[in-house]
Amino acid sequence: MAKITLDNLAHSYLPNPAHENHYALKELNHDWIDGEAYALLGASGCGKSTLLNIISGLLQPSQGRILFNDRDVTHAPTAERNIAQVFQFPVVYDTMTVRDNLAFPLRNRGADAGYVAERVQQIAQMIGMEDELNRKARGLTADAKQKISLGRGMVREDVNALLFDEPLTVIDPHMKWELRTQLKSLHHEFGHTMIYVTHDQTEALTFADKVVVMYDGRVVQIGTPQELFERPAHTFVGYFIGSPGMNLFDAEITGSTAQVAGTTVDLGAGYAPKGGKTQLGVRPEFIRLNGSGDGLPAKVTRVEDVGRHKIIRLDVAGQPVSAIAEEGATVPSENTAIRFDPAGINVYADDWRVRAEEEAA
Amino acid sequence: MNKTVNQKAWFLVLPVLILVAFSAVIPLMTVVNYSVQDTFGRNEFFWAGLEWFSDMLDSDRMWDALGRQLIFSGVILAIEIPLGIFVALNMPKSGFWASFCLVLMSLPLLIPWNVVGTIWQIFGRVDIGLLGYTLDKLGITYNYTQDITAAWITVVVMDVWHWTSLVALLAYAGLQSIPDAYYQAAKIDQASRWAVFRYIELPKMAGVLMIAILLRFMDSFMIYTEPFVVTGGGPGNATTFLSIDLVKMAIGQFDLGPAAAFSLMYFLVILLISWVFYTVMVNLDKRDGV
């Protein structure tokens, strides 16, 4: 168990990166606090797996250092780092039995046979494969194989960190939920530092204490699920987290009001964005629809009933906007307009969030 | 679906039947014919029954040749398979040097058997051959025409030089099909180099290795040209393998009957061994296929 520090870390797959765009992982400084569960969230190809492989030592970074409990391990081989990592697709040793597969990492470290047997039994119970311990791993279904991979990742108790690279992609939904719960309880029990890569926001938000959102090789925000929801630091976070994602409106900002498509909007606080393209980000939860023409004129294009609430698709000045309404709410058909709840307005300049003046002070 | 019955369709199989008849069935039957008859020349034959077969089974000559043959195949397999795997494991995985190695290694495979024999025949000569001359100057007695050990070493080394590439190329193909994730997982699991080989590389290579063993076994079991060119089966009968002995018997001594009986038994042994390999391979595939 360890605190993992990334110091000025960056990585490029090209031999001589000259431009910032050549980096798959852009310069990054971050401490992964010992014993916390992190989710690394982002679209495919944003550098999540690269970062994970650098931490586990499968990849040497082009620049910067990695420290485990303040000890430099940048060039230490994977085995020395004592890390467990589970990959997106199952990796099992075909010729071994399920039992030997689970015991493999322990035996490689020369663990005592009695302890190995006991630990393998525990893990088998956790992944629900006690009855299949003696069969060969060859010929099992993909999700059974992935459960073995997960089990192999969890079998060592003394690892510095547990890394998961989208491990539940091939698992069916019911088992997914159960395994996620198991992982959480494992975390509570042993307090390993866990980093869980995913592009599924539900998975990230339910699993982690802290969510790290990556976009285009850069960490754009690190925060609790609530922070990500209420105060997205980057428009990508707003778009990526939440269903539907945050609405963005081009706006001109003067103090505590903004001009959006010719209508004045009250921001509830003063902002002083420094140049660039300014936008308002408002989550669908904070958009109120009325039938009295009060606010931004909007046209209802579609209403989707998704169970507990309704998603209303709107056309505001030629731009699609989503709003969420209570299940029983009536959707006005004429003279429709929207207003924003000031508590839910975020201001962005060139895609990065601008803090309100009193917040900054 | 209704099947259309059209017996004339059998005619479509005819070309294949004719081809196989001329290429295999008729020649084989000629041999069968010789194996059960005797002749005193002048193209007069009379029935001999299974006499030649029982003669051959009693002859030390055939058993000796078979013994030498089995030792030869065993030795070259024991060298070429591990060596081929070792070479494949140490070849570059990609880039210019990978292609370079592949081309370099294919070269011996492209050389005709006869030429391989001639190359080694000259290479090993004490008077003009680089190898023979060097060894002689170093004070090592090496003369494959007189010394049995030297003859065997020459023939075995020649086969290893000629065919290890084949095993290496097949093993290399097997290794290339292993996804990176397996090696990464092994690193995470802190597996030793041996464990990586034993539990990842070897199982993934098992299929192609079976093919390599089969090919090398069959080919070495039937070897003729190279040792014939280098040693002519000598000194004495030391390197007279089954094919060489068979040719001596059939063409040298013109003993058609015994030679035919010999060929048929030779053929049956090869058929039997191929069948065993085939069964093992099919079972391997089945295990993989689930």
Side-chain angles (χ1 to χ4, degrees):
Chain A
M1 276 157 261
K3 177 183 82 172
I4 300 171
T5 309
L6 309 180
D7 176 22
N8 257 328
L9 195 76
H11 185 71
S12 170
Y13 288 99
L14 302 173
N16 297 307
H19 188 262
E20 198 186 26
N21 286 346
H22 294 167
Y23 283 90
L25 190 66
K26 300 191 174 99
E27 208 170 282
L28 175 60
N29 288 291
H30 180 58
D31 282 343
W32 307 86
I33 297 160
D34 185 13
E36 288 218 357
Y38 292 91
L40 200 50
L41 187 66
S44 303
C46 70
K48 295 172 300 195
S49 297
T50 305
L51 179 55
L52 219 55
N53 289 343
I54 288 175
I55 294 174
S56 62
L58 296 172
L59 210 60
Q60 293 281 320
S62 331
Q63 71 165 68
R65 297 187 307 157
I66 309 155
L67 309 159
F68 283 11
N69 284 337
D70 300 322
R71 190 171 76 87
D72 189 341
V73 294
T74 315
H75 301 288
T78 303
E80 205 179 290
R81 298 188 192 194
N82 198 19
I83 273 199
Q85 185 172 2
V86 179
F87 301 92
Q88 184 173 9
F89 295 103
V91 177
V92 297
Y93 305 105
D94 282 343
T95 51
M96 291 189 201
T97 59
V98 175
R99 182 191 306 279
D100 290 339
N101 259 286
L102 293 177
F104 193 58
L106 293 176
R107 289 187 183 145
N108 286 333
R109 281 179 78 75
D112 155 74
Y115 169 74
V116 172
E118 184 193 327
R119 187 77 188 136
V120 165
Q121 203 62 41
Q122 280 175 13
I123 294 292
Q125 192 181 359
M126 212 177 250
I127 58 175
M129 292 191 75
E130 284 164 298
D131 299 336
E132 289 162 297
L133 276 178
N134 290 320
R135 74 164 285 186
K136 283 252 191 296
R138 188 196 298 271
L140 289 169
T141 57
D143 71 328
K145 285 185 178 176
Q146 186 65 345
K147 283 194 272 174
I148 298 176
S149 304
L150 271 169
R152 264 206 341 268
M154 300 186 294
V155 76
R156 284 180 282 157
E157 291 173 83
D158 62 342
V159 288
N160 280 322
L162 267 161
L163 312 180
F164 299 97
D165 193 351
E166 304 192 35
L168 302 181
T169 313
V170 295
I171 306 251
D172 67 49
H174 160 73
M175 197 66 203
K176 232 180 213 179
W177 185 82
E178 197 176 314
L179 284 174
R180 212 152 53 208
T181 317
Q182 295 280 19
L183 288 178
K184 273 211 98 151
S185 69
L186 185 86
H187 179 244
H188 283 300
E189 198 178 332
F190 292 109
H192 290 128
T193 311
M194 284 192 184
I195 304 175
Y196 189 105
V197 166
T198 178
H199 61 251
D200 177 345
Q201 52 162 311
T202 328
E203 213 165 271
L205 299 178
T206 54
F207 175 80
D209 308 328
K210 284 224 179 99
V211 179
V212 179
V213 184
M214 287 187 71
Y215 173 63
D216 193 23
R218 202 190 302 271
V219 170
V220 288
Q221 189 170 9
I222 299 169
T224 61
Q226 196 190 353
E227 284 165 0
L228 296 184
F229 185 80
E230 290 176 357
R231 297 280 171 254
H234 188 273
T235 52
F236 174 78
V237 180
Y239 151 80
F240 202 70
I241 289 176
S243 171
M246 189 168 69
N247 299 296
L248 288 169
F249 302 90
D250 290 338
E252 262 172 59
I253 291 159
T254 33
S256 62
T257 56
Q259 292 289 323
V260 178
T263 310
T264 305
V265 174
D266 176 23
L267 300 176
Y271 293 88
K274 290 184 185 67
K277 185 177 75 166
T278 48
Q279 286 175 304
L280 297 188
V282 187
R283 290 204 174 274
E285 287 81 355
F286 297 103
I287 291 186
R288 309 269 173 264
L289 186 67
N290 63 64
S292 51
D294 176 19
L296 268 169
K299 206 164 76 198
V300 178
T301 53
R302 205 169 64 213
V303 177
E304 292 163 25
D305 202 329
V306 292
R308 277 174 304 171
H309 56 252
K310 282 178 185 160
I311 298 174
I312 304 164
R313 306 285 182 182
L314 303 154
D315 180 343
V316 177
Q319 191 199 344
V321 167
S322 307
I324 286 179
E326 297 290 311
E327 197 192 353
T330 47
V331 178
S333 53
E334 272 175 38
N335 230 357
T336 44
I338 51 169
R339 292 193 71 85
F340 305 145
D341 180 345
I345 298 177
N346 287 291
V347 176
Y348 295 90
D350 283 336
D351 289 328
W352 291 91
R353 182 167 175 268
V354 181
R355 295 203 288 181
E357 274 163 345
E358 60 258 41
E359 212 182 328
Chain B
M1 219 173 83
N2 283 331
K3 268 191 182 170
T4 320
V5 177
N6 182 356
Q7 303 294 1
K8 283 183 195 146
W10 286 106
F11 283 109
L12 294 174
V13 188
L14 206 61
V16 175
L17 282 180
I18 293 173
L19 212 67
V20 172
F22 276 97
S23 72
V25 180
I26 295 173
L28 188 65
M29 286 306 126
T30 321
V31 176
V32 172
N33 190 34
Y34 281 135
S35 73
V36 292
Q37 301 195 62
D38 199 356
T39 178
F40 294 117
R42 283 185 297 169
N43 232 9
E44 286 170 31
F45 288 88
F46 51 90
W47 179 252
L50 295 177
E51 202 181 310
W52 295 130
F53 288 91
S54 65
D55 268 12
M56 287 318 299
L57 286 175
D58 285 339
S59 99
D60 289 341
R61 177 176 169 182
M62 195 194 81
W63 288 111
D64 288 350
L66 181 64
R68 282 190 291 270
Q69 185 70 71
L70 288 172
I71 293 172
F72 177 73
S73 291
V75 169
I76 65 110
L77 282 181
I79 298 173
E80 285 174 18
I81 300 295
L83 185 62
I85 294 173
F86 179 78
V87 170
L89 288 175
N90 289 293
M91 271 172 70
K93 295 269 174 285
S94 59
F96 169 78
W97 290 108
S99 321
F100 180 79
C101 286
L102 288 175
V103 172
L104 199 68
M105 302 224 318
S106 324
L107 282 180
L109 302 175
L110 301 174
I111 302 175
W113 287 258
N114 234 323
V115 179
V116 172
T118 313
I119 289 174
W120 282 84
Q121 207 263 351
I122 295 171
F123 190 45
R125 277 172 63 165
V126 180
D127 50 352
I128 56 167
L130 183 62
L131 176 70
Y133 186 81
T134 314
L135 287 178
D136 194 52
K137 283 287 168 241
L138 289 173
I140 299 162
T141 333
Y142 169 80
N143 187 338
Y144 60 78
T145 56
Q146 279 159 25
D147 180 25
I148 293 179
T149 319
W152 265 83
I153 289 174
T154 310
V155 173
V156 167
V157 170
M158 173 175 64
D159 200 83
V160 168
W161 176 81
H162 194 180
W163 291 111
T164 302
S165 310
L166 178 75
V167 180
L169 293 178
L170 284 169
Y172 185 69
L175 285 174
Q176 290 291 70
S177 71
I178 302 174
D180 251 2
Y182 279 82
Y183 292 109
Q184 297 183 337
K187 275 192 199 161
I188 296 286
D189 292 340
Q190 308 184 346
S192 61
R193 182 69 191 88
W194 167 249
V196 170
F197 176 70
R198 170 69 188 78
Y199 297 112
I200 296 174
E201 293 171 329
L202 200 57
K204 294 281 172 190
M205 281 193 292
V208 283
L209 280 183
M210 282 307 293
I211 294 173
I213 293 173
L214 175 66
L215 285 176
R216 282 318 300 133
F217 180 81
M218 298 319 304
D219 225 41
S220 66
F221 204 72
M222 297 188 287
I223 193 167
Y224 174 77
T225 319
E226 300 120 295
F228 183 77
V229 173
V230 176
T231 64
N237 274 335
T239 54
T240 301
F241 303 120
L242 286 171
S243 286
I244 297 179
D245 204 19
L246 181 62
V247 171
K248 274 186 190 166
M249 197 185 288
I251 296 168
Q253 300 156 233
F254 222 68
D255 285 335
L256 287 184
F262 189 154
S263 323
L264 286 178
M265 287 190 284
Y266 195 179
F267 175 56
L268 286 178
V269 169
I270 288 177
L271 210 60
L272 181 76
I273 293 166
S274 304
W275 177 77
V276 169
F277 271 105
Y278 177 77
T279 316
V280 172
M281 275 199 289
V282 167
N283 282 336
L284 266 184
D285 278 356
K286 260 191 209 147
R287 263 196 330 181
D288 282 335
V290 182

